[in-house]
Amino acid sequence: MSQSMATVEQGAEKGKEPVDFSGSEILLRCLIEEEVEVVFGYPGGAVLPIYDSLYQGKLKHLLARHEQGAIHAADGYARATGKAGVVIATSGPGATNLVTGIANAQMDSIPLVCITGNVAQNLIGTDAFQEADIIGITMPITKHSYQVTDVRDLPRVVKEAFHIATTGRPGPVLIDIPKDVSNARASFSYPDSISIRGYQPKTNPHPLQVQRLHQAVAEASKPVILAGGGVVTSGAEEELIAFAEKANIPVTTTLMGLGGFPGQHPLWLGMPGMHGTYAANHALLETDLLIGVGARFDDRVTMGRLDKFATGAKIVHIDIDPAEIGKNVDTYIPLVGDVKKVLAAALSELPRSRSEAWVRQVGEWMREKPYTFRDAEDTLKPQWVIRHLHETTGGEAIVTTDVGQHQMWVAQYFPFARPRSFITSGGLGTMGFGFPAALGAQLARPDETVISVTGDGGFQMTNQELAVIALANIPVKIAIINNHCLGMVRQWQEVFYKKRYSEVDLSGTPDFVRLSEAFGVKAWRAKDKREAAQVWQEALAHPGPAVIDFWVTPEENVYPMVPSGASLDQMIMGDEAE
């Protein structure tokens, strides 16, 4: 029995009147019941009762400097742990500042519980001060949402919110609490369990479909596994390794799946798609059996050219979300269920495929056409920086990114060996995500080295959170890949718009070293490999937060590259070579 429940029942046993609590006190007791360790947020008028209860409570709260920073930090915490991240914001602009973070979590299936305040119920619909219809605004980008109208419903709502956010296909759940509900009083009793009619995620696979998978594997001579973020979410990395090795099937991992299969494994083909490896893309083109495991077959993998994608393959799709089956590709064998449970069930009596020659072929592609770049002694190449981060940490780090060139270079040159070690904005592609996400990840896993690899554009979107890591001495290492421009946009303008560079020059960017020092964060700058190696070691040795401003070659492009609208066989390999 929980402590709070015990307190309530003891009061009843002594013949006392039931103890009443305010709605805000009930909310915090619910969060404690859910074993929430830290809440990220920003106060305001509509959540004053909640923050007043926080003042006298024991729940840890981290005050961000912007609501977007708060929700990205909660997102990073969730991705690093698998638990729900919790964020609180006030009504109106506080709530709408969460929108990008909610959409980001929804696209990547990240469990969040987002708590917003609202004006009192008698003012809703009157255009009251700081009123916004946050339920309506976020309806398409949440897994579920609640507006609490009776304080007595609050414990059930919170219990359901955590259950929905973390089960099935995870996602963000929003709880909107009008101010009069936060102030209203009621007795407190937290449900031990919950059952929601109409929400019963299917986790175990159908045995007949597992048998069909066995038959397909036995008949395949060119099988490939496409592993996505569902492997990481379900904790299925061991089952995936066992499946691939037993059936002798090469594995390519999507951006969200990186870390779900060891980056040094001989069956690993790297990442597929727009900036994927030659081996992964050509394996997808020539395969006769494509097994999608917790992957969405999105346009960054298929390039939207389904007429050219795995045209000779039977496609098996394993996913917890039945809505994903058949959404983007025609599915030969649907396997709805939790990825870990499906793979575990499939391992029993799993045959070996007829893939010996195929495995040799894709292995030759990996050796003949790896990621390469043309290095230089007098300048600093971003690929060298990322590879150096990997070598000096032994890969034993959690790395976060935004979106853009630096994100792709991390995906290419930092071979992740563990799940939940790569935290990135996959589906939405959100600039400004990586740094606050690193903050949350570091709080979740304090004994790990956490590196935020970011661009000079993205860092300027959320660098106000430097105040938070300085104040709390959160030892995140921030590696800015500074090319003084919006690199990926510049690359596309170079390649596809005849070098008509439109609004990508970031001249006027502040001195990141002096800016960081103004916040109280130690910082360095490096312009060549010697400086980079030296200051990175100093930053790693520094016990607190650190910023390293790596000035890299502005003209460097990400290759290979499949142009938008082209198919996987139309890769631009670039002229890079080591």
Side-chain angles (χ1 to χ4, degrees):
M1 181 183 297
S2 66
Q3 185 176 2
S4 54
M5 286 291 290
T7 302
V8 173
E9 292 188 4
Q10 284 166 6
E13 287 174 4
K14 294 176 182 176
K16 296 180 179 178
E17 291 295 324
V19 178
D20 281 352
F21 300 95
S22 69
S24 58
E25 292 169 335
I26 289 173
L27 172 67
L28 300 191
R29 285 172 176 268
C30 293
L31 298 182
I32 292 171
E33 291 286 347
E34 290 294 333
E35 300 181 350
V36 172
E37 297 171 322
V38 58
V39 174
F40 303 87
Y42 203 99
V47 290
L48 277 174
I50 297 174
Y51 275 81
D52 184 60
S53 297
L54 272 171
Y55 178 77
Q56 52 194 330
K58 60 182 181 181
L59 197 61
K60 182 177 181 180
H61 177 275
L62 197 82
L63 175 62
R65 294 302 184 265
H66 191 286
E67 289 88 352
Q68 186 172 354
I71 192 167
H72 288 333
D75 187 315
Y77 176 92
R79 296 186 198 228
T81 61
K83 302 177 183 176
V86 181
V87 60
I88 299 176
T90 191
S91 62
T96 57
N97 280 342
L98 297 181
V99 169
T100 297
I102 294 172
N104 191 74
Q106 174 77 350
M107 287 287 280
D108 289 347
S109 306
I110 304 304
L112 293 183
V113 174
C114 309
I115 299 165
T116 53
N118 210 332
V119 299
Q121 292 181 79
N122 66 314
L123 294 176
I124 289 178
T126 68
D127 292 336
F129 178 66
Q130 291 193 333
E131 182 193 358
D133 177 13
I134 195 61
I135 296 290
I137 292 169
T138 60
M139 185 78 70
I141 55 171
T142 50
K143 186 176 178 183
H144 196 62
S145 56
Y146 296 90
Q147 187 169 65
V148 185
T149 57
D150 188 325
V151 67
R152 294 171 295 182
D153 293 336
L154 203 44
R156 174 186 57 79
V157 166
V158 174
K159 184 75 175 180
E160 290 183 0
F162 275 86
H163 177 67
I164 293 171
T166 56
T167 56
R169 179 178 181 174
V173 177
L174 185 136
I175 306 174
D176 192 42
I177 307 176
K179 194 170 184 178
D180 58 307
V181 174
S182 291
N183 284 325
R185 301 190 71 83
S187 59
F188 174 69
S189 175
Y190 201 64
D192 290 328
S193 61
I194 205 82
S195 178
I196 303 173
R197 187 177 181 183
Y199 179 73
Q200 303 291 334
K202 175 179 170 58
T203 59
N204 291 309
H206 195 291
L208 292 179
Q209 301 294 30
V210 174
Q211 291 178 16
R212 293 183 68 201
L213 171 63
H214 287 170
Q215 182 67 29
V217 169
E219 295 173 352
S221 58
K222 295 182 177 181
V224 174
I225 294 172
L226 174 67
V231 174
V232 177
T233 300
S234 67
E237 58 276 6
E238 292 183 3
E239 288 78 7
L240 178 60
I241 294 170
F243 186 97
E245 291 179 345
K246 190 172 182 179
N248 197 33
I249 300 179
V251 178
T252 177
T253 43
T254 69
L255 182 71
M256 292 299 297
L258 291 174
F261 192 80
Q264 307 287 3
H265 195 286
L267 287 172
W268 189 59
L269 302 180
M271 182 179 67
M274 179 173 284
H275 296 292
T277 65
Y278 179 92
N281 284 346
H282 278 260
L284 291 177
L285 289 168
E286 297 188 20
T287 179
D288 62 356
L289 177 65
L290 178 54
I291 305 174
V293 184
R296 296 188 289 121
F297 294 96
D298 75 298
D299 63 309
R300 289 295 157 132
V301 171
T302 67
M303 302 306 301
R305 291 295 304 275
L306 300 180
D307 58 321
K308 296 281 189 178
F309 180 78
T311 53
K314 296 175 180 175
I315 296 180
V316 179
H317 197 170
I318 302 171
D319 205 287
I320 186 74
D321 185 355
E324 287 295 335
I325 307 292
K327 185 175 81 174
N328 291 327
V329 294
D330 291 333
T331 305
Y332 179 69
I333 302 175
L335 268 162
V336 177
D338 177 79
V339 166
K340 187 180 181 73
K341 291 185 176 180
V342 174
L343 291 178
L347 277 171
S348 177
E349 302 182 12
L350 177 67
R352 191 172 180 84
S353 64
R354 299 183 286 114
S355 61
E356 283 72 14
W358 173 243
V359 170
R360 284 195 299 274
Q361 174 65 73
V362 298
E364 288 176 11
W365 287 338
M366 283 292 284
R367 287 187 294 275
E368 293 171 356
K369 295 183 181 296
Y371 290 129
T372 61
F373 64 98
R374 192 180 299 279
D375 203 358
E377 291 303 317
D378 56 343
T379 58
L380 192 56
K381 292 296 184 80
Q383 301 95 326
W384 183 91
V385 173
I386 303 302
R387 198 169 62 183
H388 188 69
L389 300 185
H390 181 264
E391 291 171 349
T392 50
T393 58
E396 295 294 321
I398 297 172
V399 180
T400 72
T401 76
D402 290 358
V403 67
Q405 286 185 315
H406 72 277
Q407 179 193 42
M408 291 298 104
W409 284 319
V410 169
Q412 293 177 336
Y413 291 95
F414 200 108
F416 293 92
R418 302 174 298 155
R420 301 195 182 281
S421 56
F422 182 43
I423 294 174
T424 191
S425 176
L428 197 64
T430 305
M431 290 180 69
F433 167 78
F435 169 39
L439 188 165
Q442 185 75 81
L443 286 178
R445 292 162 68 174
D447 296 330
E448 300 255 8
T449 298
V450 178
I451 306 169
S452 166
V453 178
T454 185
D456 46 322
F459 188 55
Q460 291 184 73
M461 291 190 174
T462 49
N463 65 29
Q464 74 281 348
E465 306 305 332
L466 284 168
V468 178
I469 62 170
L471 189 64
N473 194 33
I474 300 171
V476 172
K477 312 304 178 189
I478 304 160
I480 305 171
I481 306 299
N482 188 348
N483 56 8
H484 304 91
C485 64
L486 297 174
M488 189 61 89
V489 182
R490 186 207 59 75
Q491 176 173 337
W492 279 63
Q493 291 177 347
E494 175 190 329
V495 177
F496 304 115
Y497 292 86
K498 300 180 180 180
K499 298 186 177 181
R500 293 195 297 275
Y501 298 123
S502 177
E503 303 298 328
V504 292
D505 184 351
L506 290 180
S507 295
T509 293
D511 182 325
F512 289 133
V513 173
R514 294 174 65 184
L515 177 70
S516 303
E517 291 173 346
F519 277 103
V521 175
K522 197 168 177 56
W524 296 262
R525 175 173 297 114
K527 298 181 180 179
D528 58 37
K529 290 197 287 190
R530 183 190 60 79
E531 290 179 346
Q534 178 180 337
V535 302
W536 174 243
Q537 283 303 318
E538 293 180 31
L540 273 181
H542 180 61
V547 171
I548 311 92
D549 185 16
F550 293 107
W551 282 25
V552 300
T553 313
E555 299 81 13
E556 199 68 14
N557 288 338
V558 180
Y559 289 117
M561 179 180 188
V562 180
S564 179
S567 58
L568 293 177
D569 61 343
Q570 296 174 294
M571 299 176 70
I572 301 173
M573 298 303 292
D575 60 355
E576 282 77 3
E578 260 183 316

